Amino acid sequence: MEKVIDETQQGSALVMEPNKDNSRKLFIESYGCQMNFSDSEIVASILAKEGFNTTDKLEDADLVLVNTCSIREKAEQTVRKRLEKYNAVKRHNPSMKVGVLGCMAERLKSKFLEEEKIVDLVVGPDAYKDLPNLIEEVEAGRNAVNVILSKEETYADVSPVRLQSNGVSAFVSITRGCDNMCTFCVVPFTRGRERSRDPQSILEEVNDLAARGFKEITLLGQNVDSYLWYGGGLKKDFDKASEMQKATAVNFAGLLDQVAKAQPKMRIRFSTSNPQDMTLDVIETMAKHQNICKYIHLPVQSGSDRILKKMNRLHTREEYFTLIDNIRKIIPDCAISQDMIAGFPTETEEDHQDTLSLMEYVKYDFGFMFAYSERPGTMAGRKMEDDVPEPVKKRRLQEIIELQREHSLYRTQQHLGKIEEVLIEKESKKSDLHWSGRNTQNTMVVFPKEHYKVGDFVKVKIEDCTSATLLGTPVGYSDNN
Ligand code: SAH
Ligand code: F3S
């Protein structure tokens, strides 16, 4: 099955190893993207120093924090529903405090306190280090808000605790914010301007994860290809950097190279790439290191040049095809996935057909597909009428999803008969006799457990498939163990 999801991480309690000296109880959950999940690990780390242990029982919590998503209206509604649940629990536990973090906090600011009486605390994505002070305020009976966006904050000096981890894969954030200003997208408003994290602190985190037995990391950013370290500060201020800073700057290809070399046995993934910023040297660096996974998430949003322009996506359909051709030339078995938006303002049937024909050209391995949702404050929200009727959006979305399902099946079939390296992550959802893990292309592989264990790299002969999963038999350890 293709991945038709609305929120990548659904809200469920995130828990860490308890510290016996800590007595306060934190219930923290995360909605939305992987970056939110990664931020929640930073928040839990900051609060562990304030005497908090995590709990998965809402009823027991002294403090409830929800990391929120604003990307589509439905994501916000999900969070509001969740607040109702907190309200019901608070009736039995009146001293419980509730805080909202993340993109909704940033978008709604102190309005949140008026709109949702249950909320005591509103904290934007760049203000988590202020949480100890803010919580003190709340405990003294006052509401607290900090939604100041920063030019510098990357939390490089906070060593995140790993929440709900399988001990195998971890996220490592490398940039924050986004400067791309796609007209539909709320992220530049909620997460601020783009800044990169010091490569040294990234390498230290990766080395530490390796030492603790992790086998795979995903470098995270809204737009990873735009990574640029020149000593700190906003990406847009790079022009003002000194000659020395410019000469020693590290771009994304450079960072990938350093990380891959530092831990040659560790799998390296990254997300997300914006086609307009992805350069050939990134693809060449991927090809150079066998431990960089052969998978690129390359959202395109639409196949129509007219719509791409209205979205402020700064590439054409032809340029996208050239990039795809280059990826296939340099890394022939690279998997590619998409994000698509159906029903952007003014989208015609012809534009929609362009999206379908672009998909035919690429035949993506996976996809994340959405109906356009107008977001307040964005350029499209302010200047363009949301004029594609809801049933039309839904029908176009369905056509995109169905075509993706065909392509996903076509792609999984290409693995049949091959022997592929799989990193075991967890038990299969459907059977406790089977493991599940992913191959380098990020496709899920399920196979009998035999004597293998979580965290092993195993060679698996692929024998069957659905459009989302490969099924096989293990034939031995891979050399990577
Ligand atoms: N660069 C980011 C993109 C974040 S948004 C990243 O790291 O993934 C994820 C996806 O949500 C986008 O690629 C887009 O397909 C979808 N999206 C964003 N804003 C949207 C909107 N207003 N309506 C529908 N889908 C949207
Ligand atoms: Fe959003 Fe475009 Fe940035 S989709 S996160 S503004 S690359």
Side-chain angles (χ1 to χ4, degrees):
M1 257 278 292
E2 75 298 332
K3 294 170 184 162
V4 193
I5 47 136
D6 211 32
E7 274 68 58
T8 40
Q9 302 280 344
Q10 280 302 339
S12 62
L14 304 170
V15 285
M16 62 183 179
E17 286 286 306
N19 176 335
K20 63 175 171 34
D21 299 328
N22 287 355
S23 58
R24 299 203 275 180
K25 292 205 181 76
L26 166 68
F27 179 95
I28 182 166
E29 58 183 350
S30 206
Y31 289 83
C33 63
Q34 296 167 332
M35 186 67 91
N36 260 6
F37 180 81
S38 166
D39 281 0
S40 294
E41 297 189 321
I42 287 169
V43 168
S45 170
I46 292 170
L47 294 187
K49 294 197 178 70
E50 298 298 310
F52 283 96
N53 275 331
T54 48
T55 172
D56 58 1
K57 292 195 186 61
L58 189 51
E59 300 73 22
D60 293 352
D62 300 307
L63 175 65
V64 175
L65 293 178
V66 55
N67 205 343
T68 61
C69 175
S70 286
I71 201 78
R72 285 165 291 275
E73 197 185 346
K74 207 172 139 218
E76 293 205 351
Q77 285 163 354
T78 308
V79 169
R80 292 204 193 250
K81 280 236 172 63
R82 207 51 197 143
L83 294 175
E84 286 171 22
K85 170 79 183 165
Y86 299 165
N87 218 345
V89 171
K90 191 166 167 138
R91 268 182 237 130
H92 306 286
N93 179 6
S95 64
M96 177 179 112
K97 303 291 180 197
V98 173
V100 281
L101 314 175
C103 288
M104 270 177 94
E106 192 62 48
R107 196 178 81 69
L108 292 162
K109 305 188 168 55
S110 54
K111 260 200 295 188
F112 227 132
L113 299 172
E114 294 153 31
E115 289 179 14
E116 304 282 354
K117 293 284 173 262
I118 179 84
V119 174
D120 306 293
L121 174 70
V122 180
V123 191
D126 285 348
Y128 298 146
K129 280 191 193 152
D130 196 23
L131 270 167
N133 302 323
L134 298 167
I135 291 169
E136 229 172 81
E137 282 290 296
V138 166
E139 280 170 349
R142 291 181 288 270
N143 288 335
V145 178
N146 185 344
V147 288
I148 297 170
L149 289 170
S150 159
K151 285 186 179 173
E152 258 127 43
E153 187 59 85
T154 60
Y155 299 109
D157 53 339
V158 179
S159 160
V161 297
R162 302 296 159 182
L163 294 171
Q164 222 176 41
S165 168
N166 54 8
V168 176
S169 321
F171 297 125
V172 176
S173 86
I174 64 163
T175 69
R176 296 186 73 82
C178 186
D179 285 351
N180 273 347
M181 289 293 186
C182 303
T183 55
F184 53 82
C185 185
V186 77
V187 169
F189 302 93
T190 58
R191 289 191 160 266
R193 305 309 297 261
E194 201 171 297
R195 65 220 101 112
S196 296
R197 177 177 167 191
D198 181 351
Q200 201 49 46
S201 81
I202 296 172
L203 285 169
E204 278 163 20
E205 188 174 335
V206 171
N207 290 337
D208 177 58
L209 285 164
R212 287 159 52 198
F214 282 81
K215 302 290 170 70
E216 177 181 84
I217 52 148
T218 304
L219 303 175
L220 283 186
Q222 298 299 337
N223 182 15
V224 284
D225 297 270
S226 176
Y227 177 90
L228 186 64
W229 172 258
Y230 62 96
L234 295 179
K235 162 97 182 224
K236 73 178 177 59
D237 294 333
F238 180 61
D239 292 349
K240 296 181 213 145
S242 69
E243 289 311 311
M244 180 67 179
Q245 283 176 319
K246 285 184 183 163
T248 54
V250 180
N251 65 11
F252 184 55
L255 178 74
L256 257 187
D257 192 61
Q258 288 187 29
V259 173
K261 272 193 196 131
Q263 291 299 336
K265 283 193 173 286
M266 202 155 189
R267 273 189 175 181
I268 320 289
R269 299 185 183 276
F270 55 86
S271 190
T272 298
S273 296
N274 187 317
Q276 74 204 41
D277 294 305
M278 184 161 213
T279 52
L280 273 184
D281 58 348
V282 169
I283 308 167
E284 280 155 1
T285 306
M286 290 174 72
K288 206 168 88 186
H289 296 281
Q290 62 77 32
N291 58 329
I292 303 181
C293 290
K294 296 179 180 185
Y295 167 53
I296 304 174
H297 182 49
L298 201 60
V300 67
Q301 320 295 357
S302 168
S304 151
D305 275 335
R306 195 182 67 82
I307 295 292
L308 285 171
K309 203 162 185 184
K310 278 191 164 296
M311 289 176 160
N312 196 32
R313 304 285 289 190
L314 301 180
H315 62 82
T316 61
R317 175 186 170 91
E318 276 311 310
E319 284 163 342
Y320 188 77
F321 287 155
T322 304
L323 180 59
I324 297 287
D325 293 347
N326 280 326
I327 295 169
R328 300 239 188 268
K329 201 159 62 201
I330 300 170
I331 313 171
D333 49 351
C334 191
I336 302 174
S337 61
Q338 44 89 346
D339 288 349
M340 288 294 180
I341 297 179
F344 186 78
T346 76
E347 186 187 73
T348 61
E349 281 312 312
E350 199 186 334
D351 296 319
H352 172 59
Q353 289 304 323
D354 284 347
T355 294
L356 297 177
S357 72
L358 177 140
M359 290 175 69
E360 283 293 358
Y361 185 92
V362 184
K363 290 196 171 56
Y364 294 97
D365 293 72
F366 326 101
F368 301 89
M369 297 149 281
F370 315 99
Y372 173 69
S373 164
E374 185 178 281
R375 305 314 293 132
T378 59
M379 194 56 110
R382 283 185 288 133
K383 298 274 160 73
M384 299 175 208
E385 194 193 337
D386 184 7
D387 60 356
V388 178
E390 216 48 42
V392 176
K393 275 187 198 168
K394 289 264 151 63
R395 194 251 309 148
R396 289 180 189 163
L397 177 62
Q398 205 47 43
E399 288 175 12
I400 292 171
I401 290 172
E402 269 156 31
L403 187 59
Q404 182 55 52
R405 186 172 297 143
E406 280 174 33
H407 292 160
S408 294
L409 182 61
Y410 167 79
R411 288 293 173 198
T412 53
Q413 284 169 344
Q414 309 308 303
H415 296 269
L416 294 177
K418 294 188 177 154
I419 292 178
E420 302 190 336
E421 181 188 80
V422 179
L423 171 59
I424 303 180
E425 287 171 39
K426 54 182 187 255
E427 196 165 84
S428 158
K429 270 195 204 131
K430 293 200 181 130
S431 149
D432 59 6
L433 300 175
H434 289 74
W435 289 129
S436 96
R438 283 169 293 156
N439 62 9
T440 184
Q441 285 89 356
N442 206 41
T443 308
M444 197 58 82
V445 186
V446 171
F447 58 90
K449 283 185 176 173
E450 296 188 1
H451 55 287
Y452 301 104
K453 56 184 194 313
V454 169
D456 285 345
F457 286 98
V458 178
K459 284 193 267 182
V460 178
K461 175 142 202 257
I462 308 299
E463 289 155 339
D464 201 358
C465 68
T466 66
S467 61
T469 311
L470 302 174
L471 305 167
T473 305
V475 296
Y477 289 105
S478 96
D479 301 337
N480 205 28
N481 284 292

